């Protein structure tokens, strides 16, 4: 009769049943699966081989593989991990090591204790998966694997689970347990302060490869045009700004050396205070740089952003993860240009004689500044064409572009315009950023992709900076309809991605609709779950007034600790507080021996004498030491009349421990 | 003293073959000043055991076969009219003895039963308003036939409590039975049994047992056993304080028989089924006598070490 069997054996030592073993194996495979995407192929293959082997073993029995094989497997795993991590991120290496070690542990699953270890490590592996992906899908997968993992724990502890394939009872129990934990999780999510990592993760984020660079030469943005990766997502508090106004400034270039435009005067002018700046919110995708985009010149917005005198903002540090911020819309007001700035924005390199001659000619004709701008745009309109694969420029690039090739895209036009305006004595700077974006009507946000990258010019006219987009003169549809419409036929556009979703959608309308729906959902996920950090501050402030980290940590920890203490007291209140030395020693001995062989654990109803006799039978070599120890222990513990001989007992215990 | 007792046990062992456990338990029961209930079929050696005990210890021995028409007076005795002296004379019943074998105690009426049980508890008898003390050594061995329940009055739990132990002898092993048949029955063997202990020595042994010191660890073990039986859902009737006291006394006697001056949890475990078996009532799964009888289940559940 097995009714009381599970009560008699100490649970740590008991063997997990077949069903429980299968559950644990299944859940481990589930937890490790997403890691295959982060590991090199051969690592995944090795892990797969280990898992298959472990699965076969677990299914048949739980005998250990030979010791030599185990040692060999550990060595192979160590070497392979070390080799594949060499020169890559340490963190990835550590995660791989954890995954492989877990697969190895599965090989020697023997007692419940081992299963607990595996389950615990699986929890870590699930959490580690979020280092690599925080998409909605991986979130859902994580929840799924946690449910299965908990179910395996339930199966381990429930004798009634003997059937496989599964009765769904363990899953049900696990689900109920998780639901019970949900309120606490929500509370933690809402109020627990987000403390940045104490170490910096040097994980290579894929998006960090593309994006604007901090210098600009004609021809470079076309690289971005080959990418449909997400760059920014923007939502507006009020009405969205009209399409023709969607010029997203990221940086301004003030120095031109004849080939490249650079940023020189990049002294930061201060930090944003976080007051009154919530006209639009931006989620920036990870990138290698600190650039952020803004619609207008910025003066107020999210706290912590670094403000520059040209009205652009940067993040406090490179965008290793998604970054959310909000800004205020600013009316452009007349200002003052300091003499140093005026000089900086008028700096012109030597060369390009034909352009200078043309500008001098215009000046001689007595054209006003406005008229010169108009004249340049007029030239573009009449003689130039927009193309993504222009001829290469050499020598005096502006001359060559303006007078010979007469084709190009935004950078070419902006660069030439900027130089000529400076020649005409108008302070000018080049602006790099994005233009337009795709409006998602379901979630009402604007999606800006890398191929929306754009360059234009700002000129100091009538005492303020005015935007001049020369590209609009030569290809107004680029400004009005977005790059997508304009470039569909252009060979350079998305040349690397023949199967790009954007291309497919141009043929299937339903696909476009589905994509917009999915993006809308994903946007909410990013905005409300992943990007909650930035909102939390405001939320907490509304509820609780100004907070610092210490205060909010205390606020969360104190009640949680109090509740846990109360539960602990409630659970432990019936337990005897004092355990005598001999009971403790015996327990330790039992635990130690049960690791060697589960059957050697002491049963609850076994007295010292009975236990030592049983052990002596199992370990005849140590019968003498066992007997001596049990006698001495019995005397110390039970003989009141003759007085306890503690020294003798300690000597016996020592001898026994050494013998074992 | 202990040697003498070992020897004594060995002698009885020669008479009642192959039952050393029962013999030791009965001895322990006697040493702990308790009474013994033997629950068994007829013909398994109850009388032999009682007889041998009486002879070895040199005790005054009486045997009463209980029947349904028996009255309390038949056990306790009463005033009898003496025609020659024309006065009432006290007639002492069979209870006035040192070792009383009460055969098939469940055959008689509750009234008679309780008269005997009261005498066992009080160790004295009231007749005609006068109290008469029973001998200092007073040991009752009662038997019950568990199978023939027709027309019987099974002892209720409260009455069972008066017996320190309940044991059953059971069938002998094949070997023992063959030897018994060869020897021509126990009756012949009984004749050769010598007295090994006088009543004074027995009294002294009883005193030594009752004075034995017990360590706090064993006391705590006993208490936890009792507490578990009260708290566990598997028991409908837990161990009473009198029950745990009985276990303690019996364990002391057992330790004494083992020749030890202190009590081990092993002693507790040895006597526990006999002492606690009839005081515990298990629920559903813990029927007495089944694989999981309440006493052994309790022993397996409660940790010996604190």
């Amino acid at each position: 009769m097995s009714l009381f069997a599970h009560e008699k054996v100490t649970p740590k030592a008991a063997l997990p049943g077949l069903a429980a073993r299968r559950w644990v194996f299944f859940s481990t495979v589930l937890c490790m699966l997403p890691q295959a995407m982060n590991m090199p192929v051969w690592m995944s293959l090795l892990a797969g081989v280990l898992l298959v082997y472990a699965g076969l073993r677990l299914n048949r029995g739980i005998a250990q593989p030979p010791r030599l094989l185990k040692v060999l497997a550990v060595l192979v795993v160590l070497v392979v991990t070390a080799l594949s991590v060499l020169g890559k991120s340490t963190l990835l290496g550590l995660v791989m090591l954890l995954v492989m070690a877990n697969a190895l542990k599965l090989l020697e699953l023997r007692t419940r204790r081992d299963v607990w270890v595996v389950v615990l490590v699986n929890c870590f592996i699930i959490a580690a998966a979020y280092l690599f992906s925080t998409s909605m899908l991986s979130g859902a997968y994580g929840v799924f694997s946690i449910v299965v993992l908990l179910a395996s724990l339930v199966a381990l502890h429930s004798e009634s689970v003997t059937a496989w394939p599964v009765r769904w009872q363990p899953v049900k129990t696990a689900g109920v347990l998780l639901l019970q934990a949900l309120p606490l999780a929500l509370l933690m999510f809402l109020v627990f302060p987000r403390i940045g990592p104490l170490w910096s993760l040097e994980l290579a984020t894929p998006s960090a490869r593309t994006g604007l660079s901090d210098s600009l030469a004609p021809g470079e943005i076309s690289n971005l045009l080959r990418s449909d990766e997400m760059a920014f997502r923007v939502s507006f508090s009020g009405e969205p700004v009209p399409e023709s106004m969607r010029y997203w400034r990221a940086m301004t270039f003030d120095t031109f050396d004849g080939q490249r435009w650079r940023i020189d005067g990049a002294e930061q002018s201060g930090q944003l205070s976080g007051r009154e700046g919530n006209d639009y919110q931006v989620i920036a995708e990870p990138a290698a740089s600190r650039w952020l985009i803004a619609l207008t010149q910025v003066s107020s917005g999210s706290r912590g952003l670094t403000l520059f005198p040209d009205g652009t903002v940067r993040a406090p540090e490179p965008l290793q993860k998604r970054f959310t911020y909000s800004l205020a819309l600013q009316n452009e007001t007349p200002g003052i240009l300091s003499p140093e700035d005026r000089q900086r924005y008028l700096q012109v390199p030597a060369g390009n004689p034909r352009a200078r001659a043309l500008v001098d000619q215009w000046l001689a004709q007595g054209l006003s500044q406005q008229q010169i701008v108009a004249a340049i745009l007029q030239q573009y309109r009449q003689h130039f064409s927009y193309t993504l694969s222009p001829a290469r420029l050499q020598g005096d690039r502006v001359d060559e572009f303006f007078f010979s090739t007469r084709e190009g895209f935004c950078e070419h036009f902006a660069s030439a315009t900027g130089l000529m305006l400076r020649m005409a004595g108008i302070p000018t700077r080049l602006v790099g950023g994005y233009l337009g974006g795709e409006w998602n009507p379901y979630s009402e946000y604007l999606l800006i992709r890398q191929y929306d990258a754009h360059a234009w010019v700002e000129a100091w006219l009538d005492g303020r900076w005015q935007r001049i987009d020369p590209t609009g003169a030569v290809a107004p549809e680029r400004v009005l309809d977005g790059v997508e419409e304009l470039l569909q036929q252009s060979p350079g556009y998305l040349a690397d991605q023949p199967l790009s979703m954007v291309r497919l959608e141009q043929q299937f309308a339903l696909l476009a609709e589905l994509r917009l729906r999915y993006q809308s959902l994903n946007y909410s996920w990013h905005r409300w779950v992943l990007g909650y950090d930035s909102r939390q501050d405001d939320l907490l402030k509304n509820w609780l007034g100004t907070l610092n980290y210490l205060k909010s940590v205390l606020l969360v920890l104190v009640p949680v600790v109090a509740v846990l203490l109360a539960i602990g007291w409630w659970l432990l209140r019936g337990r005897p507080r004092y355990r005598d030395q001999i009971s403790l020693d015996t327990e330790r001995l039992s635990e130690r021996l049960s690791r060697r062989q589960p059957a050697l654990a002491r049963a609850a109803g076994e007295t010292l004498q009975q236990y030592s006799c049983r052990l002596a039978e199992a370990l005849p070599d140590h019968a003498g030491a066992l007997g001596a120890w049990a006698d001495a222990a019995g005397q110390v513990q039970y003989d009141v009349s003759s007085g306890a001989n503690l020294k003798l007992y300690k000597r016996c215990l020592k001898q026994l421990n050494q013998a074992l | 003293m202990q040697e003498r007792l070992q020897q004594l046990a060995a002698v009885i062992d020669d008479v009642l073959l192959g039952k050393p456990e029962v013999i030791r338990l009965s001895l322990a029961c006697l040493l702990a000043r308790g009474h013994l209930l033997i629950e068994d079929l007829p013909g398994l050696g109850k009388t032999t055991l009682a007889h041998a005990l009486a002879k070895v210890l040199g005790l005054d021995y009486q045997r009463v076969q209980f029947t349904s028409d028996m009255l309390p007076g038949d056990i306790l005795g009463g005033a009898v009219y003496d025609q020659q002296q024309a006065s009432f004379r006290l007639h002492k019943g069979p209870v006035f003895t040192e070792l009383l074998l009460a055969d098939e105690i469940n055959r008689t009426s509750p009234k008679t039963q309780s008269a005997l049980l009261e005498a066992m508890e009080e160790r004295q008898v009231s007749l005609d308003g006068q109290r008469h003390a029973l001998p200092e050594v007073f040991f009752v061995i009662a038997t019950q036939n568990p199978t023939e329940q027709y027309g019987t009055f099974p002892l209720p739990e409260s009455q069972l409590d008066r017996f320190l132990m309940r044991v059953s002898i059971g069938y002998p092993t094949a070997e023992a039975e063959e030897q018994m048949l060869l020897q021509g029955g126990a009756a012949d063997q009984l004749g050769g049994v010598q007295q090994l202990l006088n009543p004074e020595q027995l009294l002294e042994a009883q005193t030594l047992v009752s004075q034995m010191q017990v360590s706090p660890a064993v006391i705590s073990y006993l208490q936890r056993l009792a507490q578990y039986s009260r708290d566990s859902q598997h028991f409908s009737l837990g161990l009473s304080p009198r029950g745990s006291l009985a276990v303690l006394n019996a364990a002391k006697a057992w330790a004494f028989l083992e020749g030890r001056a202190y009590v081990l949890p092993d002693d507790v475990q040895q006597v526990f089924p006999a002492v606690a078996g009839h005081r515990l009532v298990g629920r559903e799964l813990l029927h007495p006598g089944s694989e999981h009888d309440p006493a052994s289940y309790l022993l397996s559940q409660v940790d010996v070490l604190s």
Side-chain angles (χ1 to χ4, degrees):
Chain A
M1 214 167 143
S2 66
L3 184 71
F4 297 111
H6 65 283
E7 294 180 63
K8 278 181 190 161
V9 192
T10 40
K12 271 181 222 163
L15 303 172
L18 180 65
R21 270 159 23 215
R22 286 178 175 169
W23 265 109
V24 170
F25 177 72
F26 179 55
S27 61
T28 305
V29 171
L30 270 186
C31 294
M32 287 171 62
L33 214 54
Q35 300 292 344
M37 280 185 265
N38 312 318
M39 300 198 296
V41 181
W42 48 318
M43 287 289 284
S44 306
L45 282 180
L46 183 61
V49 169
L50 284 176
L51 279 182
V52 168
Y53 183 57
L56 289 177
R57 279 204 101 82
L58 287 177
N59 205 25
R60 251 188 282 127
I62 16 186
Q64 300 239 16
R67 176 178 287 267
L68 191 68
L69 191 67
K70 280 201 286 186
V71 173
L72 201 70
V74 170
L75 283 179
V76 167
V77 162
L78 281 180
V79 169
V80 168
T81 313
L83 283 181
S84 42
V85 172
L86 228 58
K88 287 191 197 152
S89 102
T90 352
L91 190 75
L92 180 65
L94 291 177
V95 171
M96 279 201 282
L97 206 59
L98 189 70
V99 169
M100 299 308 281
N102 198 34
L104 284 176
K105 185 69 196 168
L106 216 53
L107 276 183
E108 54 163 17
L109 209 61
R110 247 174 353 111
T111 60
R112 283 179 189 228
R113 213 185 140 99
D114 296 335
V115 178
W116 292 340
V117 171
V118 168
V119 168
L120 205 64
V121 173
N122 274 334
C123 289
F124 272 97
I125 291 178
I126 291 175
Y130 293 122
L131 289 173
F132 304 100
S133 164
T134 50
S135 72
M136 219 169 14
L137 200 65
S138 49
Y141 188 87
V143 171
F144 171 64
S145 31
I146 282 182
V147 170
V148 176
L149 194 63
L150 262 188
S152 71
L153 213 52
V154 172
L156 179 71
H157 287 276
S158 150
E159 295 292 313
S160 59
V161 181
T162 47
W164 180 278
V166 190
R167 305 258 160 75
W168 287 105
Q169 176 253 323
V171 178
K172 228 197 244 167
T173 313
V176 171
L177 285 173
L178 276 183
L179 280 182
Q180 284 169 340
L182 195 62
L184 184 64
L186 277 181
L187 180 79
M188 298 291 258
F189 176 80
L190 284 178
V191 295
F192 201 81
R194 305 300 202 266
I195 302 165
L198 301 174
W199 65 95
S200 83
L201 308 179
E202 73 294 21
L203 285 176
T205 39
S207 310
R209 287 194 297 267
T210 50
L212 298 176
S213 60
D214 55 1
S215 70
L216 190 139
E220 277 183 349
I221 278 184
S222 67
N223 288 334
L224 291 181
L225 290 175
R226 295 166 190 272
S227 161
D228 63 355
E229 265 173 40
M230 230 181 328
F232 295 92
R233 280 171 289 184
V234 185
S235 61
F236 297 92
S237 298
E239 282 292 301
V241 296
E243 282 179 49
S244 58
M245 298 290 288
R246 290 176 190 160
Y247 280 87
W248 303 98
R249 302 169 84 243
M251 62 192 93
T252 62
F253 304 98
D254 52 8
T255 312
F256 186 51
D257 63 3
Q259 291 189 4
R260 306 186 74 85
W261 288 85
R262 293 182 200 286
I263 306 169
D264 275 352
E267 294 285 315
Q268 71 175 63
S269 63
Q271 302 264 323
L272 291 187
S273 64
R275 282 192 305 269
E276 312 161 8
N278 201 15
D279 286 337
Y280 57 103
Q281 301 85 41
V282 185
I283 300 176
E285 292 295 305
S289 57
R290 293 167 53 198
W291 306 121
L292 298 176
I293 56 166
L295 260 187
T296 55
Q297 299 210 20
V298 175
S299 62
S300 61
S302 290
R303 195 147 49 111
L305 298 183
T306 313
L307 182 65
F308 285 82
D310 60 0
T312 58
V313 281
R314 296 186 200 175
E317 53 200 19
L319 304 172
Q320 285 184 338
K321 52 179 191 154
R322 281 192 189 80
F323 184 76
T324 311
Y325 61 97
S326 54
L327 294 171
L329 280 171
Q330 198 82 22
N331 288 326
E332 291 184 32
T333 47
I336 301 164
L337 195 63
S338 71
E340 301 89 55
D341 279 346
R342 173 175 287 275
Q343 198 183 349
R344 198 150 55 87
Y345 288 127
L346 283 174
Q347 169 263 341
V348 174
N352 296 310
R354 295 175 70 187
R356 183 170 288 280
L358 182 61
V359 172
D360 287 344
Q361 183 194 335
W362 282 336
L363 287 174
Q365 286 170 5
L367 294 184
S368 70
Q369 293 186 334
Q370 304 283 6
Q371 283 169 326
I372 289 177
V373 172
I376 296 175
L377 295 184
Q378 184 61 30
Q379 287 285 325
Y380 291 151
R381 235 171 260 130
Q382 284 175 353
H383 305 296
F384 285 69
S385 62
Y386 187 91
T387 171
L388 279 182
S389 37
R392 283 189 71 83
L393 301 176
Q394 278 160 349
D396 288 331
R397 292 173 191 232
V398 172
D399 271 7
E400 200 175 339
F401 166 71
F402 204 82
F403 297 102
S404 319
T405 63
R406 294 194 166 178
E407 57 173 16
F409 48 92
C410 55
E411 289 162 309
H412 300 85
F413 292 105
S415 179
T417 314
L419 183 69
M420 289 169 75
L421 288 181
R422 283 187 174 190
M423 285 171 168
I426 306 169
T428 308
R429 63 194 183 193
L430 230 65
V431 185
Y434 297 85
L435 171 61
E438 180 184 23
W439 183 249
N440 187 316
Y442 303 110
S443 283
E444 308 207 315
Y445 72 93
L446 200 65
L447 171 62
I448 298 163
R449 298 172 184 277
Q450 292 296 358
Y451 63 52
D452 289 320
H454 192 52
W456 62 95
V457 167
E458 280 178 351
W460 184 261
L461 296 168
D462 304 334
R464 62 191 178 99
W465 288 105
Q466 292 192 8
R467 180 173 61 235
I468 299 165
D469 186 1
T471 318
V474 63
E477 52 294 8
R478 164 73 182 90
V479 178
L480 290 178
D481 299 338
V483 73
E484 238 175 289
E485 308 284 326
L486 177 69
L487 300 176
Q488 269 178 38
Q489 309 306 324
S490 165
Y493 174 61
L494 294 180
D496 297 342
Q497 289 156 305
L499 284 178
S500 155
M501 282 301 287
V502 178
R503 286 214 156 172
L504 282 175
E505 277 163 24
Q506 284 154 8
Q507 283 144 33
F508 304 104
L510 181 65
L511 223 63
E513 161 100 15
L514 280 178
R515 182 178 60 88
L516 282 176
R517 290 268 182 193
Y518 170 73
Q519 281 174 353
S520 149
L521 197 63
N522 208 16
Y523 175 72
S524 310
W525 166 258
H526 282 296
R527 202 171 132 96
W528 293 110
V529 180
L530 298 181
Y532 171 73
D533 308 23
S534 57
R535 243 157 267 270
Q536 190 184 31
D537 265 0
D538 303 339
L539 192 72
L540 291 184
K541 226 177 278 172
N542 281 347
W543 288 355
L544 309 161
T546 325
L547 279 177
N548 54 16
Y549 270 150
L550 182 70
K551 231 163 141 190
S552 45
V553 166
L554 285 180
L555 193 80
V556 174
L557 282 188
V558 167
V560 167
V561 168
V563 167
L564 287 182
L565 278 181
I567 293 174
W569 175 80
W570 176 258
L571 289 178
L572 294 175
R573 98 211 110 97
R575 298 256 181 106
R577 251 156 251 146
Y578 174 71
R579 300 207 59 179
D580 56 83
Q581 191 56 42
I582 287 179
S583 303
L584 281 176
D585 290 341
T586 314
E587 172 118 321
R588 258 180 233 143
L589 178 75
S590 160
E591 210 158 288
R592 195 173 139 199
L593 288 174
S594 69
R595 248 174 273 145
R596 198 187 288 189
Q597 195 181 325
L600 291 185
R602 191 181 74 89
E606 232 173 351
T607 65
L608 287 172
Q609 267 66 25
Q610 291 160 357
Y611 184 46
S612 76
C613 287
R614 190 162 65 85
L615 287 182
E617 265 173 46
L619 313 160
D621 297 347
H622 309 303
L626 281 164
W629 166 74
D631 285 344
Q635 263 181 13
V636 171
Q637 186 85 322
Y638 302 115
D639 190 354
V640 238
S641 47
S642 67
N645 193 341
L646 258 175
K647 263 188 195 154
L648 176 70
Y649 166 73
K650 284 198 173 141
R651 204 167 54 233
C652 289
L653 182 68
K654 204 171 163 191
Q655 275 169 2
L656 180 63
N657 279 332
Q658 280 166 356
L660 291 171
Chain B
M1 175 68 80
Q2 269 100 348
E3 277 168 37
R4 191 66 69 80
L5 286 168
Q6 305 281 351
Q7 200 183 343
L8 199 146
V11 169
I12 305 175
D13 203 26
D14 283 341
V15 180
L16 187 69
L17 292 163
K19 296 291 175 191
E21 282 293 300
V22 177
I23 295 166
R24 280 180 93 85
L25 280 174
S26 351
L27 271 177
C29 189
L30 175 63
L31 286 174
R33 295 184 214 252
H35 304 287
L36 184 67
L37 176 66
I38 303 181
E39 212 166 52
D40 234 328
L41 301 171
L44 289 174
K46 292 167 295 204
T47 320
T48 313
L49 176 64
H51 223 127
L53 264 176
K55 270 198 109 167
V56 172
L57 297 166
L59 295 178
D60 205 12
Y61 168 69
Q62 287 281 347
R63 174 184 173 164
V64 180
Q65 180 72 41
F66 280 70
T67 55
S68 53
D69 56 353
M70 218 173 224
L71 293 174
D74 296 330
I75 311 283
L76 306 177
V80 179
Y81 186 70
D82 190 335
Q83 286 192 321
Q84 287 172 344
Q85 297 188 2
S87 66
F88 283 95
R89 183 172 56 81
L90 184 73
H91 166 73
K92 288 188 173 175
V95 77
F96 287 91
T97 185
E98 287 174 321
L99 200 165
L100 177 71
L101 176 62
D103 239 343
E104 302 207 67
I105 192 174
N106 56 338
R107 290 242 163 258
T108 193
S109 64
K111 194 174 177 180
T112 315
Q113 282 174 357
S114 66
L116 172 66
L117 294 166
E118 206 181 314
M120 281 161 53
E121 180 73 12
E122 309 286 328
R123 288 173 182 273
Q124 64 179 17
V125 175
S126 299
L127 290 174
D128 274 348
Q130 274 193 313
R131 285 188 293 188
H132 304 273
L134 292 170
E136 247 184 300
V137 177
F138 178 61
F139 185 42
V140 175
I141 299 178
T143 72
Q144 262 198 120
N145 185 345
T147 50
E148 282 179 40
Q149 293 296 323
Y150 185 72
T152 64
F153 305 92
L155 292 173
E157 264 88 29
S158 60
Q159 306 272 36
L160 281 174
D161 209 26
R162 304 289 163 95
F163 291 96
L164 179 66
M165 294 185 188
R166 182 185 65 178
V167 297
S168 61
I169 298 179
Y171 290 112
T173 60
E175 209 177 292
E177 191 161 17
E178 278 172 16
Q179 204 185 339
M180 185 271 289
L181 292 170
L182 271 176
Q183 289 170 353
D188 290 358
Q189 294 288 314
L190 266 176
V193 170
Q194 302 282 316
Q195 180 180 349
L196 285 172
L197 216 62
N198 58 39
E200 287 73 43
Q201 287 172 316
L202 181 60
L203 276 174
E204 192 198 332
Q206 285 181 337
T207 313
L208 282 175
V209 166
S210 68
Q211 285 171 351
M212 190 184 277
Q213 296 282 311
V214 182
S215 70
V218 171
I219 296 290
S220 138
Y221 177 46
L222 269 172
Q223 202 282 325
R224 277 179 287 124
L225 279 172
Q227 195 63 48
Y228 189 94
S229 74
R230 293 166 201 158
D231 295 344
S232 167
Q233 51 173 357
H234 293 299
F235 294 93
S236 55
L237 189 62
L239 203 58
S240 64
R242 178 158 54 184
S244 46
L245 186 63
V247 177
L248 176 64
N249 288 332
K252 283 178 179 176
W254 189 272
F256 186 79
L257 280 176
E258 293 278 325
R260 229 182 303 105
Y262 54 93
V263 179
L264 285 179
D266 303 73
D267 303 321
V268 174
Q269 295 198 345
Q270 289 290 340
V271 298
F272 194 77
V275 180
H278 56 293
R279 299 169 205 260
L280 291 169
V281 180
R283 291 220 168 89
E284 305 159 36
L285 300 157
L286 297 173
H287 288 305
S290 80
E291 197 182 339
H292 296 290
D293 82 286
S296 1
Y297 173 71
L298 197 54
L299 285 181
S300 73
Q301 290 305 297
V302 178
D303 198 335
V304 180
L305 302 174
S306 57

